[in-house]
Amino acid sequence: GAGVSQSPRYKVAKRGQDVALRCDPISGHVSLFWYQQALGQGPEFLTYFQNEAQLDKSGLPSDRFFAERPEGSVSTLKIQRTQQEDSAVYLCASSSGRRNEKLFFGSGTQLSVL
Amino acid sequence: AQTVTQSQPEMSVQEAETVTLSCTYDTSESDYYLFWYKQPPSRQMILVIRQEAYKQQNATENRFSVNFQKAAKSFSLKISDSQLGDAAMYFCAYRPLSGTYKYIFGTGTRLKVLA
């Protein structure tokens, strides 16, 4: 597609529910990142994929967070048993993976856990 | 650990005037990229300008320019002839050229443009 697409744009979940956030990167982009942005803060790294391989998941805050990219394109970030502290905007970004790459962001999913 | 610090939570500038946003970073790497991103209310991060650490010349993009001081680990953004559309959150970011190419962002500066 023309840009990075994320869905849903807004998600309201009751505490304890599981949620799944989707990211469609730019076609052909090798690298895919997930970031968490709390209100009034900068994006914080969650995880990184190179094609279908998850090379870095050091930013995932707990084992309730899980990300996958099974075919090296679309990625899903899953949060199990959501907690109020999970409320944030979740940003997805993709890039070509080359040295002089540019990172392209989606518009994010705003998750509110009640 | 690599860190990015933006010490100005909020800045204001009169339309058509010039404003400078500050950013400092910490790294032991010698080769890396630095970026300024703009985030309007739509939430989509937009690349404003990019600087490669091995280039001594400061990057410029139309009304946007940077002052890159590698030894001081400082990377400020100057916006000239400010326009109402420049109002947004601005994030400074760092990316190493090794490992997973993880981007590290500062906490942001909210820029208000006054008519």
Side-chain angles (χ1 to χ4, degrees):
Chain A
V4 179
S5 177
Q6 290 189 248
S7 61
R9 185 160 172 80
Y10 299 94
K11 176 70 178 177
V12 178
K14 290 183 178 179
R15 191 172 56 184
Q17 277 186 332
D18 297 348
V19 298
L21 313 180
R22 177 187 171 102
C23 173
D24 273 280
I26 292 173
S27 179
H29 274 188
V30 168
S31 297
L32 186 145
F33 299 83
W34 282 99
Y35 280 84
Q36 181 190 58
Q37 186 176 20
L39 186 64
Q41 299 296 314
E44 294 279 347
F45 172 81
L46 292 177
T47 187
Y48 164 72
F49 289 87
Q50 188 176 86
N51 296 307
E52 69 278 2
Q54 189 175 22
L55 298 187
D56 189 340
K57 54 181 181 179
S58 62
L60 296 176
S62 76
D63 58 8
R64 296 186 296 104
F65 287 71
F66 172 77
E68 61 182 3
R69 195 186 183 196
E71 297 179 358
S73 55
V74 171
S75 177
T76 303
L77 176 66
K78 297 178 179 178
I79 308 173
Q80 296 177 324
R81 304 181 304 280
T82 53
Q83 303 294 315
Q84 283 190 322
E85 61 262 29
D86 300 335
S87 296
V89 173
Y90 290 86
L91 295 169
C92 177
S94 71
S95 70
S96 63
R98 292 189 285 273
R99 176 186 171 97
N100 62 346
E101 65 175 22
K102 288 186 179 180
L103 192 62
F104 294 86
F105 282 84
S107 295
T109 293
Q110 184 172 330
L111 173 66
S112 299
V113 181
L114 306 178
Chain B
Q2 296 138 348
T3 58
V4 176
T5 302
Q6 293 179 251
S7 59
Q8 304 156 316
E10 189 172 293
M11 293 284 284
S12 295
V13 62
Q14 207 69 34
E15 198 175 4
E17 296 295 310
T18 295
V19 65
T20 298
L21 308 184
S22 300
C23 172
T24 58
Y25 60 95
D26 189 23
T27 183
S28 57
E29 303 282 338
S30 59
D31 200 8
Y32 47 87
Y33 280 112
L34 295 165
F35 308 85
W36 279 97
Y37 278 89
K38 171 184 178 181
Q39 188 179 43
S42 66
R43 299 199 306 252
Q44 187 170 32
M45 302 278 272
I46 302 164
L47 178 64
V48 174
I49 199 165
R50 177 175 67 179
Q51 175 78 41
E52 297 169 67
Y54 70 89
K55 289 186 176 179
Q56 293 186 345
Q57 187 173 8
N58 288 325
T60 62
E61 287 286 344
N62 300 314
R63 298 182 295 108
F64 300 88
S65 61
V66 298
N67 183 1
F68 173 48
Q69 301 289 330
K70 190 172 184 180
K73 296 179 181 173
S74 170
F75 182 62
S76 61
L77 173 69
K78 185 171 83 171
I79 306 174
S80 303
D81 185 25
S82 297
Q83 300 174 0
L84 294 177
D86 294 334
M89 285 291 291
Y90 285 81
F91 292 95
C92 179
Y94 161 95
R95 192 201 104 188
L97 286 173
S98 61
T100 62
Y101 296 1
K102 180 167 56 180
Y103 289 68
I104 300 169
F105 289 84
T107 52
T109 296
R110 180 174 301 281
L111 179 65
K112 295 184 176 181
V113 181
L114 309 173

Coordinates of all heavy atoms in Angstrom, one line a residue, chain A residues 15-85:
Chain A
R15 N -10.7 -4.2 31.4 CA -9.5 -4.8 32.1 C -9.7 -6.4 32.1 O -10.7 -6.9 32.5 CB -9.4 -4.3 33.5 CG -8.1 -4.7 34.2 CD -7.9 -4.0 35.5 NE -9.0 -4.2 36.4 CZ -9.1 -3.6 37.6 NH1 -8.3 -2.8 38.0 NH2 -10.2 -3.9 38.3
G16 N -8.6 -7.0 31.7 CA -8.7 -8.5 31.6 C -9.0 -9.1 30.3 O -8.8 -10.3 30.0
Q17 N -9.4 -8.2 29.3 CA -9.7 -8.7 28.0 C -8.4 -8.8 27.2 O -7.4 -8.2 27.5 CB -10.6 -7.7 27.2 CG -12.1 -7.8 27.5 CD -12.9 -6.9 26.6 OE1 -12.5 -5.8 26.2 NE2 -14.1 -7.3 26.4
D18 N -8.5 -9.6 26.2 CA -7.3 -9.8 25.2 C -7.6 -8.8 24.0 O -8.8 -8.7 23.6 CB -7.2 -11.2 24.7 CG -6.9 -12.2 25.8 OD1 -6.5 -11.7 26.9 OD2 -6.9 -13.4 25.5
V19 N -6.6 -8.2 23.5 CA -6.7 -7.4 22.3 C -5.7 -7.7 21.3 O -4.6 -8.3 21.6 CB -6.6 -5.9 22.6 CG1 -7.7 -5.4 23.6 CG2 -5.3 -5.5 23.2
A20 N -6.0 -7.5 20.0 CA -5.1 -7.7 18.9 C -5.0 -6.5 18.0 O -6.1 -6.0 17.6 CB -5.5 -8.9 18.1
L21 N -3.8 -5.9 17.8 CA -3.6 -4.7 17.0 C -2.9 -5.1 15.7 O -1.9 -5.8 15.8 CB -2.8 -3.7 17.8 CG -3.3 -3.5 19.3 CD1 -2.4 -2.4 19.9 CD2 -4.7 -3.1 19.3
R22 N -3.4 -4.6 14.6 CA -2.9 -5.0 13.3 C -2.0 -3.9 12.7 O -2.4 -2.7 12.8 CB -4.0 -5.4 12.4 CG -3.6 -5.8 11.0 CD -4.8 -6.0 10.1 NE -4.5 -6.2 8.7 CZ -4.4 -7.3 8.1 NH1 -4.7 -8.4 8.7 NH2 -4.1 -7.4 6.8
C23 N -1.0 -4.3 12.0 CA -0.2 -3.4 11.2 C 0.1 -3.9 9.8 O 0.6 -5.0 9.7 CB 1.2 -3.1 11.9 SG 2.3 -2.1 11.0
D24 N -0.2 -3.1 8.8 CA 0.1 -3.4 7.4 C 1.2 -2.5 7.0 O 1.0 -1.3 6.7 CB -1.1 -3.2 6.5 CG -2.0 -4.4 6.4 OD1 -1.7 -5.3 5.6 OD2 -3.0 -4.4 7.1
P25 N 2.4 -3.0 6.9 CA 3.6 -2.1 6.5 C 3.5 -1.8 5.0 O 2.7 -2.4 4.2 CB 4.8 -3.0 6.8 CG 4.3 -4.4 6.6 CD 2.9 -4.4 7.0
I26 N 4.4 -1.0 4.6 CA 4.6 -0.7 3.2 C 5.1 -1.9 2.5 O 6.0 -2.6 3.0 CB 5.5 0.5 3.0 CG1 4.9 1.8 3.5 CG2 5.9 0.7 1.5 CD1 5.8 3.0 3.6
S27 N 4.5 -2.2 1.3 CA 4.9 -3.4 0.6 C 6.4 -3.5 0.3 O 7.0 -2.5 -0.2 CB 4.1 -3.4 -0.7 OG 4.4 -4.6 -1.5
G28 N 7.0 -4.6 0.7 CA 8.4 -4.8 0.4 C 9.3 -4.4 1.5 O 10.5 -4.6 1.5
H29 N 8.8 -3.7 2.5 CA 9.6 -3.3 3.6 C 10.0 -4.5 4.5 O 9.2 -5.3 4.9 CB 8.9 -2.2 4.5 CG 9.1 -0.9 3.9 ND1 8.7 0.3 4.6 CD2 9.7 -0.4 2.8 CE1 9.0 1.4 3.9 NE2 9.6 1.0 2.8
V30 N 11.3 -4.6 4.7 CA 11.9 -5.7 5.5 C 11.7 -5.5 7.0 O 11.4 -6.4 7.7 CB 13.4 -5.9 5.1 CG1 14.1 -6.8 6.0 CG2 13.5 -6.3 3.6
S31 N 12.0 -4.3 7.4 CA 12.0 -4.0 8.8 C 10.6 -3.5 9.3 O 10.0 -2.7 8.7 CB 13.0 -3.0 9.2 OG 14.3 -3.4 8.8
L32 N 10.3 -4.0 10.5 CA 9.0 -3.6 11.1 C 9.2 -3.4 12.6 O 9.8 -4.3 13.3 CB 7.9 -4.6 10.8 CG 6.5 -4.2 11.3 CD1 5.4 -4.7 10.3 CD2 6.2 -4.6 12.7
F33 N 8.8 -2.3 13.1 CA 8.9 -1.9 14.5 C 7.5 -1.7 15.2 O 6.6 -1.2 14.5 CB 9.7 -0.6 14.7 CG 11.1 -0.7 14.2 CD1 11.4 -0.4 12.8 CD2 12.2 -0.9 15.0 CE1 12.7 -0.4 12.3 CE2 13.5 -0.9 14.5 CZ 13.7 -0.6 13.2
W34 N 7.4 -2.0 16.4 CA 6.3 -1.6 17.3 C 6.8 -0.7 18.4 O 7.8 -1.0 19.0 CB 5.6 -2.8 17.9 CG 4.7 -3.6 17.0 CD1 5.0 -4.8 16.3 CD2 3.3 -3.3 16.6 NE1 3.9 -5.2 15.5 CE2 2.9 -4.3 15.8 CE3 2.5 -2.2 17.0 CZ2 1.6 -4.3 15.2 CZ3 1.2 -2.2 16.5 CH2 0.7 -3.2 15.6
Y35 N 6.1 0.4 18.6 CA 6.4 1.3 19.7 C 5.2 1.5 20.5 O 4.0 1.5 20.0 CB 6.9 2.6 19.1 CG 8.3 2.6 18.6 CD1 8.7 2.2 17.4 CD2 9.3 3.1 19.5 CE1 10.0 2.1 17.0 CE2 10.7 3.0 19.1 CZ 11.0 2.6 17.9 OH 12.3 2.6 17.5
Q36 N 5.4 1.8 21.8 CA 4.3 2.2 22.7 C 4.5 3.7 23.1 O 5.6 4.0 23.5 CB 4.3 1.3 23.9 CG 3.2 1.6 25.0 CD 3.5 0.9 26.3 OE1 4.5 1.0 26.9 NE2 2.5 0.0 26.7
Q37 N 3.5 4.5 23.0 CA 3.6 5.9 23.3 C 2.5 6.2 24.3 O 1.3 6.3 24.0 CB 3.4 6.8 22.1 CG 3.7 8.2 22.3 CD 3.6 9.1 21.1 OE1 3.1 8.7 20.1 NE2 4.2 10.3 21.1
A38 N 3.0 6.4 25.6 CA 2.1 6.9 26.6 C 1.8 8.4 26.4 O 2.5 9.1 25.8 CB 2.8 6.6 28.0
L39 N 0.7 8.8 27.1 CA 0.2 10.2 26.9 C 1.3 11.2 27.3 O 1.9 11.1 28.4 CB -1.0 10.4 27.7 CG -1.7 11.7 27.6 CD1 -2.2 11.9 26.2 CD2 -2.9 11.9 28.6
G40 N 1.7 12.1 26.4 CA 2.7 13.1 26.7 C 4.1 12.6 26.7 O 5.0 13.4 27.1
Q41 N 4.3 11.4 26.2 CA 5.7 10.9 26.2 C 6.1 10.6 24.8 O 5.3 10.6 23.8 CB 5.7 9.6 27.0 CG 5.4 9.8 28.5 CD 6.4 10.6 29.2 OE1 7.6 10.5 29.1 NE2 5.9 11.6 30.0
G42 N 7.4 10.2 24.6 CA 7.9 9.8 23.3 C 7.7 8.3 23.1 O 7.4 7.6 24.1
P43 N 7.7 7.9 21.9 CA 7.6 6.4 21.6 C 8.7 5.6 22.3 O 9.8 6.0 22.3 CB 7.7 6.3 20.1 CG 7.4 7.7 19.6 CD 7.9 8.6 20.7
E44 N 8.2 4.5 22.9 CA 9.2 3.6 23.5 C 9.2 2.3 22.7 O 8.1 1.7 22.4 CB 8.7 3.3 25.0 CG 8.8 4.5 25.9 CD 10.2 4.7 26.4 OE1 11.0 3.8 26.3 OE2 10.4 5.8 27.0
F45 N 10.4 1.8 22.4 CA 10.5 0.6 21.6 C 9.9 -0.6 22.3 O 10.1 -0.9 23.5 CB 12.0 0.4 21.4 CG 12.4 -0.9 20.7 CD1 12.3 -1.1 19.3 CD2 12.8 -2.0 21.5 CE1 12.6 -2.3 18.7 CE2 13.1 -3.2 20.9 CZ 13.0 -3.4 19.5
L46 N 9.2 -1.4 21.5 CA 8.7 -2.7 22.0 C 9.4 -3.9 21.4 O 10.0 -4.7 22.0 CB 7.2 -2.8 21.7 CG 6.2 -1.9 22.5 CD1 4.8 -2.0 22.0 CD2 6.3 -2.1 24.0
T47 N 9.4 -3.9 20.0 CA 9.9 -5.1 19.3 C 10.2 -4.8 17.9 O 9.7 -3.8 17.3 CB 9.0 -6.3 19.4 OG1 9.6 -7.5 18.9 CG2 7.7 -6.0 18.6
Y48 N 11.1 -5.6 17.3 CA 11.6 -5.4 15.9 C 11.6 -6.7 15.2 O 12.0 -7.7 15.7 CB 13.0 -4.8 16.0 CG 13.8 -4.9 14.7 CD1 13.4 -4.0 13.6 CD2 14.8 -5.7 14.5 CE1 14.1 -4.1 12.4 CE2 15.5 -5.8 13.3 CZ 15.2 -5.0 12.3 OH 15.9 -5.0 11.1
F49 N 11.1 -6.6 13.9 CA 11.1 -7.8 13.0 C 12.0 -7.5 11.8 O 11.9 -6.3 11.2 CB 9.7 -8.1 12.5 CG 8.8 -8.7 13.5 CD1 8.1 -7.9 14.4 CD2 8.7 -10.1 13.7 CE1 7.2 -8.4 15.3 CE2 7.9 -10.6 14.6 CZ 7.1 -9.8 15.5
Q50 N 12.7 -8.4 11.3 CA 13.3 -8.4 10.0 C 12.7 -9.5 9.2 O 12.9 -10.7 9.5 CB 14.8 -8.6 10.1 CG 15.6 -8.3 8.8 CD 17.1 -8.4 9.0 OE1 17.7 -9.5 8.9 NE2 17.7 -7.2 9.2
N51 N 11.9 -9.2 8.3 CA 11.0 -10.2 7.6 C 10.2 -10.9 8.6 O 9.5 -10.2 9.4 CB 11.8 -11.1 6.7 CG 12.5 -10.4 5.6 OD1 11.9 -9.7 4.8 ND2 13.9 -10.6 5.5
E52 N 10.2 -12.2 8.7 CA 9.3 -12.9 9.7 C 10.0 -13.1 11.0 O 9.4 -13.6 12.0 CB 8.8 -14.2 9.1 CG 9.9 -15.3 8.9 CD 10.7 -15.1 7.6 OE1 10.4 -14.1 6.9 OE2 11.6 -15.9 7.4
A53 N 11.3 -12.8 11.1 CA 12.1 -13.1 12.3 C 12.0 -11.9 13.3 O 12.3 -10.8 12.9 CB 13.6 -13.3 11.9
Q54 N 11.7 -12.3 14.5 CA 11.6 -11.3 15.6 C 13.0 -11.2 16.2 O 13.4 -12.1 17.0 CB 10.6 -11.7 16.6 CG 10.3 -10.6 17.6 CD 9.2 -11.0 18.6 OE1 8.8 -12.1 18.7 NE2 8.6 -10.0 19.2
L55 N 13.8 -10.2 15.8 CA 15.2 -10.1 16.2 C 15.4 -9.4 17.6 O 16.4 -9.6 18.2 CB 16.0 -9.4 15.1 CG 16.0 -10.1 13.8 CD1 17.0 -9.3 12.8 CD2 16.4 -11.5 13.9
D56 N 14.4 -8.7 18.0 CA 14.6 -7.9 19.3 C 13.2 -7.8 19.9 O 12.3 -7.1 19.3 CB 15.3 -6.6 19.0 CG 15.6 -5.9 20.3 OD1 15.1 -6.2 21.4 OD2 16.5 -5.0 20.2
K57 N 13.0 -8.3 21.0 CA 11.7 -8.1 21.8 C 12.0 -7.6 23.2 O 11.2 -7.8 24.1 CB 10.9 -9.4 21.8 CG 11.6 -10.6 22.3 CD 10.6 -11.8 22.3 CE 11.3 -13.1 22.8 NZ 10.4 -14.3 22.8
S58 N 13.1 -7.0 23.3 CA 13.6 -6.5 24.6 C 12.7 -5.5 25.2 O 12.7 -5.3 26.4 CB 15.0 -6.0 24.5 OG 15.1 -4.8 23.6
G59 N 11.9 -4.8 24.4 CA 11.0 -3.7 25.0 C 9.7 -4.2 25.4 O 8.9 -3.4 26.0
L60 N 9.3 -5.4 25.1 CA 8.0 -5.9 25.5 C 7.9 -5.9 27.1 O 8.7 -6.5 27.7 CB 7.7 -7.3 25.0 CG 7.7 -7.4 23.5 CD1 7.5 -8.8 23.0 CD2 6.5 -6.5 22.9
P61 N 6.9 -5.2 27.6 CA 6.9 -4.9 29.1 C 6.6 -6.2 29.9 O 7.0 -6.2 31.1 CB 5.9 -3.9 29.3 CG 5.0 -3.9 28.1 CD 5.8 -4.4 27.0
S62 N 6.0 -7.2 29.4 CA 5.7 -8.4 30.2 C 5.3 -9.5 29.2 O 5.2 -9.3 28.0 CB 4.5 -8.1 31.1 OG 3.3 -8.1 30.4
D63 N 5.2 -10.7 29.8 CA 4.8 -11.8 28.9 C 3.4 -11.8 28.5 O 2.9 -12.7 27.8 CB 5.2 -13.2 29.6 CG 4.4 -13.3 30.9 OD1 3.6 -12.5 31.2 OD2 4.7 -14.3 31.7
R64 N 2.6 -10.8 28.8 CA 1.3 -10.6 28.3 C 1.3 -10.0 26.9 O 0.3 -10.0 26.2 CB 0.5 -9.7 29.2 CG 0.2 -10.2 30.6 CD -0.7 -9.3 31.4 NE -0.1 -8.0 31.7 CZ -0.5 -6.9 31.0 NH1 -1.4 -7.0 30.1 NH2 0.0 -5.7 31.3
F65 N 2.5 -9.5 26.5 CA 2.6 -8.9 25.2 C 3.3 -9.9 24.3 O 4.3 -10.5 24.6 CB 3.5 -7.6 25.3 CG 2.8 -6.4 25.9 CD1 2.5 -6.4 27.3 CD2 2.4 -5.3 25.1 CE1 1.9 -5.3 27.8 CE2 1.8 -4.2 25.7 CZ 1.5 -4.2 27.0
F66 N 2.7 -10.0 23.1 CA 3.2 -11.0 22.1 C 3.0 -10.3 20.7 O 2.0 -9.8 20.4 CB 2.4 -12.3 22.2 CG 2.7 -13.3 21.1 CD1 3.9 -14.0 21.2 CD2 1.9 -13.5 20.1 CE1 4.2 -14.9 20.2 CE2 2.1 -14.4 19.1 CZ 3.3 -15.1 19.1
A67 N 4.1 -10.4 19.9 CA 4.0 -9.9 18.5 C 4.4 -11.0 17.5 O 5.2 -11.8 17.8 CB 4.9 -8.7 18.3
E68 N 3.8 -10.9 16.4 CA 4.1 -11.9 15.3 C 4.1 -11.3 13.9 O 3.3 -10.3 13.8 CB 3.2 -13.1 15.4 CG 1.8 -12.8 15.2 CD 0.9 -14.1 15.3 OE1 1.4 -15.2 15.6 OE2 -0.3 -14.0 15.1
R69 N 4.8 -11.9 13.0 CA 4.8 -11.4 11.6 C 5.1 -12.7 10.8 O 6.1 -12.8 10.1 CB 5.9 -10.4 11.4 CG 5.8 -9.6 10.1 CD 6.9 -8.7 9.9 NE 6.8 -7.9 8.7 CZ 7.8 -7.2 8.1 NH1 9.0 -7.3 8.6 NH2 7.6 -6.5 7.0
P70 N 4.1 -13.6 10.7 CA 4.3 -14.9 10.2 C 4.8 -15.0 8.8 O 5.6 -15.9 8.4 CB 3.0 -15.6 10.4 CG 2.0 -14.5 10.6 CD 2.7 -13.4 11.2
E71 N 4.4 -14.1 7.9 CA 4.7 -14.2 6.5 C 5.6 -13.0 6.1 O 5.8 -12.8 4.9 CB 3.5 -14.3 5.6 CG 2.6 -15.5 5.9 CD 1.4 -15.6 5.1 OE1 1.1 -14.6 4.3 OE2 0.7 -16.6 5.2
G72 N 6.1 -12.3 7.0 CA 7.0 -11.2 6.7 C 6.4 -10.0 6.2 O 7.1 -9.1 5.7
S73 N 5.1 -9.9 6.3 CA 4.4 -8.6 5.9 C 3.6 -8.1 7.1 O 4.1 -7.4 7.9 CB 3.6 -8.9 4.7 OG 2.6 -9.9 4.8
V74 N 2.3 -8.5 7.1 CA 1.4 -8.0 8.2 C 1.9 -8.5 9.6 O 2.4 -9.6 9.7 CB 0.0 -8.5 7.9 CG1 -0.9 -8.2 9.1 CG2 -0.6 -7.9 6.7
S75 N 1.8 -7.6 10.5 CA 2.2 -7.9 11.9 C 1.0 -7.7 12.8 O 0.2 -6.8 12.6 CB 3.4 -7.1 12.3 OG 3.7 -7.4 13.7
T76 N 0.9 -8.5 13.9 CA -0.1 -8.4 14.9 C 0.6 -8.3 16.3 O 1.5 -9.1 16.6 CB -1.1 -9.5 14.9 OG1 -1.6 -9.7 13.6 CG2 -2.2 -9.3 15.9
L77 N 0.2 -7.3 17.0 CA 0.6 -7.1 18.4 C -0.6 -7.6 19.3 O -1.7 -7.0 19.2 CB 1.0 -5.7 18.8 CG 1.4 -5.4 20.2 CD1 2.7 -6.1 20.6 CD2 1.6 -3.9 20.4
K78 N -0.4 -8.6 20.1 CA -1.4 -9.1 21.0 C -1.1 -8.8 22.4 O 0.0 -9.0 22.9 CB -1.6 -10.6 20.8 CG -2.0 -10.9 19.4 CD -2.1 -12.5 19.2 CE -2.6 -12.8 17.8 NZ -2.7 -14.3 17.5
I79 N -2.1 -8.3 23.1 CA -1.9 -8.1 24.6 C -3.0 -8.9 25.3 O -4.2 -8.7 25.0 CB -2.1 -6.6 24.9 CG1 -1.2 -5.7 24.0 CG2 -1.8 -6.3 26.4 CD1 -1.5 -4.2 24.2
Q80 N -2.5 -9.8 26.2 CA -3.4 -10.6 26.9 C -3.7 -10.0 28.3 O -2.9 -9.3 28.8 CB -2.8 -12.0 27.1 CG -2.6 -12.7 25.8 CD -1.9 -14.1 26.0 OE1 -1.0 -14.2 26.9 NE2 -2.3 -15.1 25.2
R81 N -4.9 -10.3 28.7 CA -5.4 -9.8 30.1 C -5.0 -8.4 30.3 O -4.2 -8.0 31.2 CB -4.7 -10.7 31.1 CG -5.0 -12.2 30.9 CD -4.4 -13.1 32.0 NE -2.9 -12.9 32.1 CZ -2.0 -13.4 31.3 NH1 -2.4 -14.2 30.3 NH2 -0.7 -13.2 31.5
T82 N -5.5 -7.5 29.5 CA -5.1 -6.1 29.5 C -5.3 -5.5 30.9 O -6.2 -5.8 31.7 CB -5.9 -5.3 28.5 OG1 -7.3 -5.5 28.7 CG2 -5.6 -5.6 27.1
Q83 N -4.4 -4.5 31.2 CA -4.3 -3.8 32.5 C -4.5 -2.3 32.1 O -4.2 -1.9 31.0 CB -3.1 -4.1 33.2 CG -2.8 -5.5 33.5 CD -3.8 -6.1 34.5 OE1 -4.2 -5.5 35.5 NE2 -4.3 -7.3 34.2
Q84 N -4.8 -1.5 33.1 CA -5.0 -0.1 32.9 C -3.7 0.6 32.4 O -3.7 1.5 31.6 CB -5.5 0.6 34.1 CG -7.0 0.4 34.3 CD -7.6 1.3 35.4 OE1 -6.9 1.5 36.4 NE2 -8.8 1.8 35.3
E85 N -2.6 0.1 32.9 CA -1.3 0.7 32.5 C -0.9 0.4 31.1 O 0.1 0.9 30.5 CB -0.1 0.2 33.4 CG 0.1 -1.3 33.4 CD -0.6 -2.0 34.6 OE1 -1.6 -1.5 35.0 OE2 -0.1 -3.1 35.0

